[in-house]
Amino acid sequence: SKTVGAKINYAIPINLQTKCNRVALEQVFLNLCKNAFDEMKKLSETKRILEIKAYSKNSENKNNSTTFIEFINYLSDGQMNVDFNKMFIPFNSNKENGLGMGLAICRNLLEKNGGKLDVLFSKSKKVSFIVKLSI
């Protein structure tokens, strides 16, 4: 298989904590990275960048905090009109040989661990998959 030649920029605090099954979290992270790298093959080399940011936020009552892990990459031209929320529906894929199970399984794994998986778009033609987990 062809290498992507992607650059990974990450900002992850050393003391970041969360409550989640480690293996489930690894599976989610691997799938999100693989999806980003698959799409990067369609981008110019200067846009083959995966940003991974992690941070925590306290809620109003200090007993509840949330850890956020964001996976951000540029959209390819073919992704500009894709409804990413539909990609969480099983068997719905925009990949030629995709099963359409990856994001559905990721969301399910996170929900079983008290987390969430959301998707956001920015005006800079980037997509951000956001993992939310309790601390």
Side-chain angles (χ1 to χ4, degrees), residues 19-29 31 101-117 131-133:
K19 293 178 189 169
C20 189
N21 178 290
R22 185 181 63 85
V23 174
L25 208 52
E26 286 174 1
Q27 292 299 311
V28 170
F29 290 177
N31 189 73
M101 293 301 295
L103 289 175
I105 290 170
C106 287
R107 183 174 263 179
N108 187 272
L109 283 170
L110 289 169
E111 287 173 355
K112 284 184 177 182
N113 283 277
K116 284 183 76 176
L117 178 60
V131 174
K132 299 177 186 177
L133 297 163

mmCIF file of all heavy atoms in Angstrom, residues 19-29 31 101-117 131-133:
data_model
loop_
_atom_site.group_PDB
_atom_site.id
_atom_site.type_symbol
_atom_site.label_atom_id
_atom_site.label_comp_id
_atom_site.label_asym_id
_atom_site.label_seq_id
_atom_site.Cartn_x
_atom_site.Cartn_y
_atom_site.Cartn_z
ATOM 1 N N LYS A 19 -11.916 8.230 32.142
ATOM 2 C CA LYS A 19 -12.425 6.905 32.506
ATOM 3 C C LYS A 19 -12.933 6.240 31.234
ATOM 4 O O LYS A 19 -13.915 6.668 30.660
ATOM 5 C CB LYS A 19 -13.587 7.031 33.501
ATOM 6 C CG LYS A 19 -13.204 7.564 34.847
ATOM 7 C CD LYS A 19 -14.439 7.697 35.716
ATOM 8 C CE LYS A 19 -14.106 8.428 36.995
ATOM 9 N NZ LYS A 19 -15.309 8.803 37.732
ATOM 10 N N CYS A 20 -12.228 5.217 30.791
ATOM 11 C CA CYS A 20 -12.648 4.509 29.583
ATOM 12 C C CYS A 20 -11.818 3.246 29.461
ATOM 13 O O CYS A 20 -10.679 3.182 29.921
ATOM 14 C CB CYS A 20 -12.434 5.384 28.350
ATOM 15 S SG CYS A 20 -13.158 4.706 26.854
ATOM 16 N N ASN A 21 -12.398 2.248 28.831
ATOM 17 C CA ASN A 21 -11.673 1.024 28.537
ATOM 18 C C ASN A 21 -10.547 1.350 27.564
ATOM 19 O O ASN A 21 -10.785 1.879 26.476
ATOM 20 C CB ASN A 21 -12.649 0.004 27.943
ATOM 21 C CG ASN A 21 -11.975 -1.278 27.553
ATOM 22 O OD1 ASN A 21 -11.210 -1.311 26.605
ATOM 23 N ND2 ASN A 21 -12.273 -2.327 28.287
ATOM 24 N N ARG A 22 -9.310 1.038 27.954
ATOM 25 C CA ARG A 22 -8.136 1.388 27.160
ATOM 26 C C ARG A 22 -8.185 0.787 25.760
ATOM 27 O O ARG A 22 -7.880 1.446 24.765
ATOM 28 C CB ARG A 22 -6.872 0.941 27.887
ATOM 29 C CG ARG A 22 -5.590 1.367 27.199
ATOM 30 C CD ARG A 22 -4.354 0.887 27.947
ATOM 31 N NE ARG A 22 -4.253 -0.562 28.016
ATOM 32 C CZ ARG A 22 -3.706 -1.312 27.059
ATOM 33 N NH1 ARG A 22 -3.243 -0.755 25.976
ATOM 34 N NH2 ARG A 22 -3.644 -2.616 27.193
ATOM 35 N N VAL A 23 -8.565 -0.474 25.650
ATOM 36 C CA VAL A 23 -8.604 -1.143 24.343
ATOM 37 C C VAL A 23 -9.668 -0.498 23.452
ATOM 38 O O VAL A 23 -9.438 -0.271 22.257
ATOM 39 C CB VAL A 23 -8.850 -2.663 24.506
ATOM 40 C CG1 VAL A 23 -9.028 -3.333 23.157
ATOM 41 C CG2 VAL A 23 -7.697 -3.306 25.268
ATOM 42 N N ALA A 24 -10.815 -0.175 24.019
ATOM 43 C CA ALA A 24 -11.873 0.491 23.246
ATOM 44 C C ALA A 24 -11.376 1.834 22.726
ATOM 45 O O ALA A 24 -11.585 2.182 21.558
ATOM 46 C CB ALA A 24 -13.122 0.673 24.099
ATOM 47 N N LEU A 25 -10.703 2.583 23.582
ATOM 48 C CA LEU A 25 -10.184 3.889 23.197
ATOM 49 C C LEU A 25 -9.136 3.754 22.086
ATOM 50 O O LEU A 25 -9.145 4.516 21.124
ATOM 51 C CB LEU A 25 -9.578 4.574 24.424
ATOM 52 C CG LEU A 25 -9.581 6.086 24.449
ATOM 53 C CD1 LEU A 25 -10.955 6.652 24.182
ATOM 54 C CD2 LEU A 25 -9.044 6.582 25.768
ATOM 55 N N GLU A 26 -8.264 2.762 22.191
ATOM 56 C CA GLU A 26 -7.267 2.524 21.148
ATOM 57 C C GLU A 26 -7.941 2.220 19.816
ATOM 58 O O GLU A 26 -7.511 2.720 18.768
ATOM 59 C CB GLU A 26 -6.353 1.365 21.534
ATOM 60 C CG GLU A 26 -5.354 1.694 22.610
ATOM 61 C CD GLU A 26 -4.549 0.479 23.071
ATOM 62 O OE1 GLU A 26 -4.754 -0.634 22.534
ATOM 63 O OE2 GLU A 26 -3.711 0.655 23.970
ATOM 64 N N GLN A 27 -8.990 1.406 19.830
ATOM 65 C CA GLN A 27 -9.702 1.056 18.595
ATOM 66 C C GLN A 27 -10.323 2.289 17.956
ATOM 67 O O GLN A 27 -10.263 2.471 16.735
ATOM 68 C CB GLN A 27 -10.785 0.000 18.877
ATOM 69 C CG GLN A 27 -10.232 -1.344 19.266
ATOM 70 C CD GLN A 27 -9.373 -1.938 18.164
ATOM 71 O OE1 GLN A 27 -9.757 -1.979 17.010
ATOM 72 N NE2 GLN A 27 -8.188 -2.394 18.529
ATOM 73 N N VAL A 28 -10.924 3.144 18.785
ATOM 74 C CA VAL A 28 -11.532 4.372 18.272
ATOM 75 C C VAL A 28 -10.461 5.269 17.659
ATOM 76 O O VAL A 28 -10.615 5.761 16.535
ATOM 77 C CB VAL A 28 -12.290 5.113 19.401
ATOM 78 C CG1 VAL A 28 -12.722 6.503 18.954
ATOM 79 C CG2 VAL A 28 -13.506 4.294 19.853
ATOM 80 N N PHE A 29 -9.367 5.477 18.374
ATOM 81 C CA PHE A 29 -8.307 6.350 17.886
ATOM 82 C C PHE A 29 -7.700 5.822 16.589
ATOM 83 O O PHE A 29 -7.459 6.584 15.652
ATOM 84 C CB PHE A 29 -7.209 6.521 18.936
ATOM 85 C CG PHE A 29 -7.632 7.328 20.142
ATOM 86 C CD1 PHE A 29 -6.763 7.496 21.190
ATOM 87 C CD2 PHE A 29 -8.887 7.900 20.235
ATOM 88 C CE1 PHE A 29 -7.132 8.236 22.318
ATOM 89 C CE2 PHE A 29 -9.277 8.635 21.348
ATOM 90 C CZ PHE A 29 -8.385 8.803 22.390
ATOM 91 N N ASN A 31 -9.137 3.914 14.328
ATOM 92 C CA ASN A 31 -10.103 4.066 13.236
ATOM 93 C C ASN A 31 -10.169 5.520 12.764
ATOM 94 O O ASN A 31 -10.191 5.791 11.562
ATOM 95 C CB ASN A 31 -11.491 3.581 13.662
ATOM 96 C CG ASN A 31 -12.436 3.535 12.482
ATOM 97 O OD1 ASN A 31 -12.337 2.676 11.627
ATOM 98 N ND2 ASN A 31 -13.336 4.510 12.422
ATOM 99 N N MET A 101 -19.044 0.669 8.841
ATOM 100 C CA MET A 101 -19.185 0.237 10.235
ATOM 101 C C MET A 101 -18.239 0.966 11.183
ATOM 102 O O MET A 101 -18.488 1.034 12.374
ATOM 103 C CB MET A 101 -18.937 -1.270 10.347
ATOM 104 C CG MET A 101 -20.003 -2.112 9.664
ATOM 105 S SD MET A 101 -21.657 -1.830 10.313
ATOM 106 C CE MET A 101 -21.473 -2.429 11.974
ATOM 107 N N GLY A 102 -17.159 1.524 10.683
ATOM 108 C CA GLY A 102 -16.120 2.095 11.528
ATOM 109 C C GLY A 102 -16.621 3.152 12.497
ATOM 110 O O GLY A 102 -16.442 3.037 13.714
ATOM 111 N N LEU A 103 -17.246 4.204 11.981
ATOM 112 C CA LEU A 103 -17.711 5.280 12.856
ATOM 113 C C LEU A 103 -18.863 4.836 13.746
ATOM 114 O O LEU A 103 -18.968 5.264 14.893
ATOM 115 C CB LEU A 103 -18.115 6.509 12.037
ATOM 116 C CG LEU A 103 -16.950 7.265 11.395
ATOM 117 C CD1 LEU A 103 -17.470 8.382 10.504
ATOM 118 C CD2 LEU A 103 -16.006 7.812 12.445
ATOM 119 N N ALA A 104 -19.722 3.960 13.235
ATOM 120 C CA ALA A 104 -20.828 3.442 14.055
ATOM 121 C C ALA A 104 -20.274 2.646 15.236
ATOM 122 O O ALA A 104 -20.742 2.792 16.377
ATOM 123 C CB ALA A 104 -21.752 2.571 13.200
ATOM 124 N N ILE A 105 -19.264 1.825 14.982
ATOM 125 C CA ILE A 105 -18.651 1.044 16.056
ATOM 126 C C ILE A 105 -17.933 1.970 17.038
ATOM 127 O O ILE A 105 -18.031 1.801 18.250
ATOM 128 C CB ILE A 105 -17.689 -0.017 15.485
ATOM 129 C CG1 ILE A 105 -18.499 -1.111 14.774
ATOM 130 C CG2 ILE A 105 -16.819 -0.620 16.578
ATOM 131 C CD1 ILE A 105 -17.658 -2.090 13.972
ATOM 132 N N CYS A 106 -17.227 2.966 16.512
ATOM 133 C CA CYS A 106 -16.537 3.925 17.386
ATOM 134 C C CYS A 106 -17.516 4.617 18.318
ATOM 135 O O CYS A 106 -17.284 4.717 19.525
ATOM 136 C CB CYS A 106 -15.802 4.972 16.555
ATOM 137 S SG CYS A 106 -14.321 4.369 15.740
ATOM 138 N N ARG A 107 -18.601 5.113 17.753
ATOM 139 C CA ARG A 107 -19.596 5.803 18.582
ATOM 140 C C ARG A 107 -20.162 4.855 19.631
ATOM 141 O O ARG A 107 -20.305 5.209 20.795
ATOM 142 C CB ARG A 107 -20.706 6.381 17.700
ATOM 143 C CG ARG A 107 -21.730 7.170 18.500
ATOM 144 C CD ARG A 107 -22.730 7.861 17.617
ATOM 145 N NE ARG A 107 -22.301 9.236 17.425
ATOM 146 C CZ ARG A 107 -22.963 10.107 16.677
ATOM 147 N NH1 ARG A 107 -24.040 9.742 16.027
ATOM 148 N NH2 ARG A 107 -22.523 11.349 16.565
ATOM 149 N N ASN A 108 -20.446 3.624 19.230
ATOM 150 C CA ASN A 108 -20.991 2.636 20.161
ATOM 151 C C ASN A 108 -20.011 2.310 21.285
ATOM 152 O O ASN A 108 -20.399 2.240 22.457
ATOM 153 C CB ASN A 108 -21.392 1.373 19.396
ATOM 154 C CG ASN A 108 -22.109 0.379 20.255
ATOM 155 O OD1 ASN A 108 -21.483 -0.456 20.901
ATOM 156 N ND2 ASN A 108 -23.423 0.482 20.297
ATOM 157 N N LEU A 109 -18.743 2.109 20.947
ATOM 158 C CA LEU A 109 -17.717 1.819 21.957
ATOM 159 C C LEU A 109 -17.618 2.959 22.967
ATOM 160 O O LEU A 109 -17.528 2.728 24.177
ATOM 161 C CB LEU A 109 -16.351 1.598 21.308
ATOM 162 C CG LEU A 109 -16.105 0.266 20.636
ATOM 163 C CD1 LEU A 109 -14.807 0.309 19.837
ATOM 164 C CD2 LEU A 109 -16.073 -0.855 21.657
ATOM 165 N N LEU A 110 -17.635 4.183 22.468
ATOM 166 C CA LEU A 110 -17.533 5.331 23.374
ATOM 167 C C LEU A 110 -18.767 5.459 24.256
ATOM 168 O O LEU A 110 -18.663 5.731 25.455
ATOM 169 C CB LEU A 110 -17.297 6.613 22.581
ATOM 170 C CG LEU A 110 -15.907 6.718 21.971
ATOM 171 C CD1 LEU A 110 -15.831 7.874 20.983
ATOM 172 C CD2 LEU A 110 -14.851 6.862 23.053
ATOM 173 N N GLU A 111 -19.955 5.261 23.665
ATOM 174 C CA GLU A 111 -21.179 5.369 24.456
ATOM 175 C C GLU A 111 -21.232 4.305 25.550
ATOM 176 O O GLU A 111 -21.701 4.573 26.653
ATOM 177 C CB GLU A 111 -22.411 5.303 23.554
ATOM 178 C CG GLU A 111 -22.581 6.577 22.748
ATOM 179 C CD GLU A 111 -23.696 6.521 21.711
ATOM 180 O OE1 GLU A 111 -24.317 5.441 21.533
ATOM 181 O OE2 GLU A 111 -23.949 7.558 21.069
ATOM 182 N N LYS A 112 -20.735 3.109 25.266
ATOM 183 C CA LYS A 112 -20.685 2.058 26.293
ATOM 184 C C LYS A 112 -19.741 2.423 27.433
ATOM 185 O O LYS A 112 -19.827 1.859 28.517
ATOM 186 C CB LYS A 112 -20.258 0.725 25.674
ATOM 187 C CG LYS A 112 -21.358 0.069 24.886
ATOM 188 C CD LYS A 112 -20.926 -1.284 24.365
ATOM 189 C CE LYS A 112 -22.105 -1.926 23.645
ATOM 190 N NZ LYS A 112 -21.799 -3.254 23.135
ATOM 191 N N ASN A 113 -18.826 3.350 27.169
ATOM 192 C CA ASN A 113 -17.885 3.813 28.185
ATOM 193 C C ASN A 113 -18.241 5.210 28.699
ATOM 194 O O ASN A 113 -17.398 5.914 29.245
ATOM 195 C CB ASN A 113 -16.462 3.804 27.619
ATOM 196 C CG ASN A 113 -15.889 2.404 27.564
ATOM 197 O OD1 ASN A 113 -15.377 1.907 28.554
ATOM 198 N ND2 ASN A 113 -15.997 1.763 26.413
ATOM 199 N N GLY A 114 -19.481 5.615 28.501
ATOM 200 C CA GLY A 114 -19.948 6.907 29.004
ATOM 201 C C GLY A 114 -19.469 8.102 28.201
ATOM 202 O O GLY A 114 -19.528 9.235 28.675
ATOM 203 N N GLY A 115 -19.009 7.867 26.981
ATOM 204 C CA GLY A 115 -18.491 8.952 26.155
ATOM 205 C C GLY A 115 -19.376 9.267 24.965
ATOM 206 O O GLY A 115 -20.479 8.725 24.825
ATOM 207 N N LYS A 116 -18.867 10.139 24.120
ATOM 208 C CA LYS A 116 -19.587 10.557 22.911
ATOM 209 C C LYS A 116 -18.591 10.754 21.781
ATOM 210 O O LYS A 116 -17.406 10.980 22.018
ATOM 211 C CB LYS A 116 -20.311 11.889 23.147
ATOM 212 C CG LYS A 116 -21.574 11.797 23.957
ATOM 213 C CD LYS A 116 -22.240 13.159 24.051
ATOM 214 C CE LYS A 116 -22.932 13.470 22.730
ATOM 215 N NZ LYS A 116 -23.687 14.730 22.740
ATOM 216 N N LEU A 117 -19.096 10.693 20.558
ATOM 217 C CA LEU A 117 -18.306 11.018 19.376
ATOM 218 C C LEU A 117 -19.139 11.950 18.515
ATOM 219 O O LEU A 117 -20.245 11.606 18.101
ATOM 220 C CB LEU A 117 -17.939 9.746 18.592
ATOM 221 C CG LEU A 117 -17.147 9.949 17.300
ATOM 222 C CD1 LEU A 117 -15.813 10.647 17.564
ATOM 223 C CD2 LEU A 117 -16.913 8.612 16.601
ATOM 224 N N VAL A 131 -13.932 13.315 20.437
ATOM 225 C CA VAL A 131 -14.207 12.292 21.435
ATOM 226 C C VAL A 131 -14.387 13.006 22.778
ATOM 227 O O VAL A 131 -13.539 13.819 23.162
ATOM 228 C CB VAL A 131 -13.041 11.284 21.526
ATOM 229 C CG1 VAL A 131 -13.262 10.292 22.670
ATOM 230 C CG2 VAL A 131 -12.872 10.554 20.199
ATOM 231 N N LYS A 132 -15.518 12.723 23.457
ATOM 232 C CA LYS A 132 -15.785 13.323 24.771
ATOM 233 C C LYS A 132 -15.880 12.199 25.787
ATOM 234 O O LYS A 132 -16.643 11.263 25.595
ATOM 235 C CB LYS A 132 -17.094 14.101 24.762
ATOM 236 C CG LYS A 132 -17.134 15.237 23.793
ATOM 237 C CD LYS A 132 -18.505 15.905 23.808
ATOM 238 C CE LYS A 132 -18.602 16.965 22.727
ATOM 239 N NZ LYS A 132 -19.936 17.563 22.680
ATOM 240 N N LEU A 133 -15.098 12.320 26.867
ATOM 241 C CA LEU A 133 -15.078 11.303 27.906
ATOM 242 C C LEU A 133 -15.114 11.953 29.276
ATOM 243 O O LEU A 133 -14.547 13.015 29.494
ATOM 244 C CB LEU A 133 -13.807 10.450 27.790
ATOM 245 C CG LEU A 133 -13.651 9.655 26.506
ATOM 246 C CD1 LEU A 133 -12.211 9.215 26.338
ATOM 247 C CD2 LEU A 133 -14.579 8.456 26.522
#
